[in-house]
């Protein structure tokens, strides 16, 4: 199985490539858990020793950036954290010139988050380094899709035959797109739902169905993933206010009754407590949210190891 040198999107990955990555990520996740409980395990810092990984985030991030950096260090790489405000981008240097210079400095991988869909592909054409997409506009966020799949697969064993509802701002969400591709390739059914202005026309072409109400989305679902309204990508007054949204599409103790017993709740973060999820749901027993974050480090370790051709067996 060949893994691509760049991870730009999940749409074009095969099921075998996704499964290889999840297998390796699962191994790293178990090793990290054992190490935290004081057990000795393999030292993975040889895998990317001497390699340089640059994180370039042109949008805000808490989880994604820090987990890529922790992942890179766990594999022994040197990490350089590019700060847009402190760089020559603030002096007018273009994205392509910026990345060409980082390439010349000797970066082996560039981890890029950018508000423009397609920016990582553009960068991949301009540099020798591997490029990993950490979220590009409303296009894709491949490592998020993979980490969600890892958390679900660990709970269920397989995604085959499961139904996952994705609820919220589908139109502007790169997380929704990556998840639709990933979950359907792994054999799950995906249903999307949200305010009608936030459901893109023709989304069914990606292989999902559309639910018109929260009840329709949640009925007989095995898991629900709540998404934040991407206010920063919307210049539209027809948006529901936070209170309205919470009443019709928010998950709380009352609306959770629409889900079967034992169904799981996910959210990629950042959560607006009381809007997409009430606090008792976010912190409750069905929530996978902290496990998703834990999966994120392991998935990013596996991504960097595979894209950079580290010699590792899953
Ligand atoms: C998401 C993102 O940036 O796409 N966050 C994340 O990476 N976990 C989702 C969001 O911002 O709502």
């Amino acid at each position: 199985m060949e893994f691509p040198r760049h991870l730009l999107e999940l749409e074009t990955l095969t099921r075998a490539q996704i499964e290889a990555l999840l297998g390796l990520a699962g191994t790293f996740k178990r090793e990290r858990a054992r190490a935290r409980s004081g057990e000795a395990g393999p030292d993975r810092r040889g895998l990317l020793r001497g390699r340089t990984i640059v994180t370039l985030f042109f949008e805000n991030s808490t989880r994604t950036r820090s987990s890529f950096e922790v992942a890179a260090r766990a594999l022994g790489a040197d990490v350089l954290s590019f700060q847009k405000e402190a760089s020559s981008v603030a002096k007018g240097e273009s994205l392509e010139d910026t990345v060409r210079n980082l390439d010349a400095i000797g970066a082996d991988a560039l981890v890029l988050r950018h508000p423009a869909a397609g920016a990582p592909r553009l960068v991949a054409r301009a540099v020798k380094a591997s490029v990993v997409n950490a979220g590009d506009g409303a296009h894709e966020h491949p490592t998020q899709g993979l980490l969600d799949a890892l958390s679900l697969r660990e709970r269920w064993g397989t995604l085959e035959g499961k139904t996952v509802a994705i609820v919220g701002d589908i139109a502007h969400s790169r997380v929704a797109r990556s998840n639709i591709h990933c979950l359907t390739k792994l054999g799950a059914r995906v249903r999307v739902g949200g305010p009608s202005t936030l459901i893109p026309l023709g989304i069914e072409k990606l292989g999902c169905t559309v639910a018109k109400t929260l009840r329709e989305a949640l009925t007989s679902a095995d898991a629900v993933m709540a998404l934040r309204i991407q206010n920063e990508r919307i210049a539209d007054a027809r948006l529901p206010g936070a209170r309205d949204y919470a009443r019709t599409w928010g998950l709380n103790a009352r609306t959770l009754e629409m889900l079967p017993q034992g169904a799981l709740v996910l959210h990629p973060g950042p959560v607006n407590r009381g809007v997409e999820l009430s606090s008792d749901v976010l912190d409750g027993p069905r929530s996978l949210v902290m496990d998703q974050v834990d999966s994120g480090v392991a998935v990013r370790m596996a991504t960097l190891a595979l894209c950079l051709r580290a010699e590792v067996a899953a």
Side-chain angles (χ1 to χ4, degrees), residues 61-306:
S61 167
T62 298
R63 280 151 290 269
T64 306
R65 179 178 206 133
S66 47
S67 61
F68 264 112
E69 294 181 357
V70 167
R73 289 202 181 92
L75 300 176
D78 295 319
V79 180
L80 204 134
S81 183
F82 171 91
Q83 302 295 346
K84 180 181 136 202
E85 294 74 20
S87 76
S88 291
V89 169
K91 298 181 184 169
E93 189 162 48
S94 75
L95 175 64
E96 270 174 294
D97 286 334
T98 302
V99 294
R100 276 203 200 96
N101 280 278
L102 293 169
D103 209 35
I105 285 169
D108 295 286
L110 302 176
V111 177
L112 176 70
R113 168 169 288 190
H114 200 278
R121 183 174 298 280
L122 196 91
V123 168
R125 284 201 205 106
V127 298
K128 291 197 291 297
S130 284
V131 176
V132 178
N133 180 5
D136 60 332
H139 173 226
E140 281 220 37
H141 189 353
T143 55
Q144 181 70 44
L146 292 163
L147 73 89
D148 293 331
L150 179 61
S151 282
L152 289 172
R153 211 173 72 150
E154 285 181 337
R155 288 299 177 103
W156 294 336
T158 175
L159 270 74
E160 204 70 63
K162 300 287 188 183
T163 299
V164 179
I166 305 180
V167 167
D169 178 0
I170 308 300
H172 305 97
S173 174
R174 53 199 178 204
V175 175
R177 254 164 219 78
S178 286
N179 262 289
I180 295 169
H181 292 307
C182 192
L183 295 168
T184 55
K185 279 176 205 251
L186 295 174
R189 280 186 290 270
V190 178
R191 243 182 236 164
V192 300
S196 58
T197 46
L198 299 178
I199 303 291
L201 228 74
I203 184 84
E204 296 91 339
K205 288 199 202 90
L206 299 188
C208 59
T209 58
V210 176
K212 294 251 177 316
T213 61
L214 185 60
R215 182 174 297 279
E216 195 185 323
L218 300 190
T219 301
S220 77
D222 298 290
V224 55
M225 179 180 302
L227 299 178
R228 185 178 68 86
I229 297 198
Q230 308 276 301
N231 289 303
E232 67 275 31
R233 289 184 223 296
I234 310 176
D236 191 335
R238 290 169 305 162
L239 273 185
R243 200 157 341 134
D244 250 10
Y245 181 84
R247 200 161 350 101
T248 39
W249 291 97
L251 300 177
N252 51 48
R254 177 182 59 81
T255 53
L256 226 57
E257 300 272 318
M258 301 169 186
L259 268 182
Q261 287 272 323
L264 302 166
V265 177
L266 298 92
H267 192 303
V271 179
N272 292 294
R273 281 181 186 261
V275 184
E276 306 96 69
L277 299 178
S278 64
S279 277
D280 50 337
V281 171
L282 175 58
D283 306 326
R286 292 167 156 209
S287 169
L288 271 191
V289 174
M290 286 302 136
D291 187 67
Q292 289 171 266
V293 179
D294 190 17
S295 291
V297 178
V299 155
R300 287 161 184 142
M301 288 172 74
T303 300
L304 294 171
L306 291 176

